[in-house]
Amino acid sequence: MAETPKPFSVSSLTAAMKSLLETKFLKIYVEGEISGFKRYPSGHVYFTLKDESAQISAVMFSSYFERCRVKAALKDGAKVLLYATVSLYQARGSAQLNVFAAKLVGEGDLMQRYLELKAKLEAEGLFDPRRKRPLPFMPRRIGIVSSEAGAVIHDMINVFKRRFPALEIRLFPALVQGEGAAESIIAGIEYFQRNFSPELLIVARGGGSFEDLFCFNDERLVRAIALSKIPTISAVGHETDFTLCDFAADKRAGTPSIAAEIAVPQLNDLKARIENSLHRLSAALRAKGENYAIKIDRLTDRLEYALVRYVERGEARLNTARRSLELLSPYSVLERGYSLTLKSDGAVVKSEEDVRDGETISVRLSSGEIKAVVRKNY
């Protein structure tokens, strides 16, 4: 019988595997897709690198992660080329990549270009929220830059018709994917700066892959949107898609249909709001009128009282004045038996020298008057 080979212990086997891996696969390049990406408070990053048929754990320690140029793009789904070593964690017998550097590949290259341009334009203040203008509340003319084929423009028109039919819409048919697309969209934006006089501009495209939508990350196009004299909505892709045009526009819409919803108010809602406002205004005016009527009634009562008091005070002053006049009047003396002698011209006779012999005078008594002729030497 053949002799049985001496068995490995688990520890010796994992030690041998560790030595072999770390010697054979010293500083290698490996390509795959990131999954389960997580950064811990320590700053270290852990994730799984996978392809269609296999996966392997990976770690990138904080010192290497901080120096990585594409660290902002490292996330689930990113396709990367890693520079790493392979080690074996003996306690579990599992292999792990220790990553020194990472580079985006495929779509990842586009992502890197996207992030670099985004950082550049952001630093220039092109995406500053303070630059963004409010959209017109009820535009009557809207310009759309989009493809004339496909469902996008038809869906938008249907939304416009449902929400606000009294609207003028003009489409600039543009390429929205592939070579020449950015230039075509820029031409549409420039067209509406000079023609049709729209109050609102919408740049729209349906969904697609990151590569399909990449023309909307063209620097010239992004700058054209930022410089537009017309308030602009960027409606590119789906809710989860973000292009640089979205950041430059005055408003981002998750889809073209949502852009149409944002662009115009719901006419029926608007009518209801107006009717409600009119009802509230009417009620407010009615309440105001009632308050004024109450105030007028109160003022009328106060005015009547004030007039009565004023008349009473006037009558009192008049009576006082009348009594004073009576006391001061020379006629009041006549009541006590005195008389008043007047010349023919009405002057009061105060002494003998005031009259001539034979002159006719009047003597006024308390009741009646006596005519007399002056006889000085009688």
Side-chain angles (χ1 to χ4, degrees), residues 145 172 174-190 203 212-222 224-225 245:
V145 180
F172 184 94
L175 297 174
V176 292
Q177 181 177 338
E179 186 177 354
E183 291 81 1
S184 180
I185 299 167
I186 292 170
I189 293 170
E190 292 177 347
V203 177
D212 293 340
L213 304 179
F214 202 74
C215 63
F216 292 92
N217 297 317
D218 183 274
E219 182 173 355
R220 296 163 299 166
L221 173 55
V222 176
I225 287 179
C245 287

Side-chain angles (χ1 to χ4, degrees), residues 129-189:
R130 291 173 295 183
R131 295 184 69 256
K132 299 184 184 298
R133 296 158 294 185
L135 303 182
F137 170 67
M138 194 166 57
R140 303 306 295 268
R141 288 186 170 189
I142 296 179
I144 301 175
V145 180
S146 187
S147 172
E148 61 183 339
V152 168
I153 188 63
H154 299 291
D155 290 344
M156 294 180 71
I157 290 174
N158 287 336
V159 173
F160 285 134
K161 286 181 177 178
R162 172 172 51 82
R163 289 180 65 83
F164 201 83
L167 192 64
E168 291 184 67
I169 302 170
R170 181 171 294 182
L171 170 69
F172 184 94
L175 297 174
V176 292
Q177 181 177 338
E179 186 177 354
E183 291 81 1
S184 180
I185 299 167
I186 292 170
I189 293 170

Side-chain angles (χ1 to χ4, degrees), residues 137-140 163-166 264-278:
F137 170 67
M138 194 166 57
R140 303 306 295 268
R163 289 180 65 83
F164 201 83
V264 293
Q266 173 68 265
L267 186 58
N268 291 335
D269 291 346
L270 195 59
K271 289 179 179 178
R273 287 169 58 186
I274 292 172
E275 289 175 0
N276 183 52
S277 296
L278 288 173

Side-chain angles (χ1 to χ4, degrees), residues 342-356:
L342 303 173
K343 295 177 63 174
S344 58
D345 62 0
V348 177
V349 178
K350 298 179 180 180
S351 69
E352 180 185 351
E353 287 77 13
D354 292 338
V355 295
R356 301 185 309 274

Side-chain angles (χ1 to χ4, degrees), residues 3-13:
E3 186 177 349
T4 302
K6 182 178 180 181
F8 284 98
S9 67
V10 174
S11 298
S12 61
L13 177 61

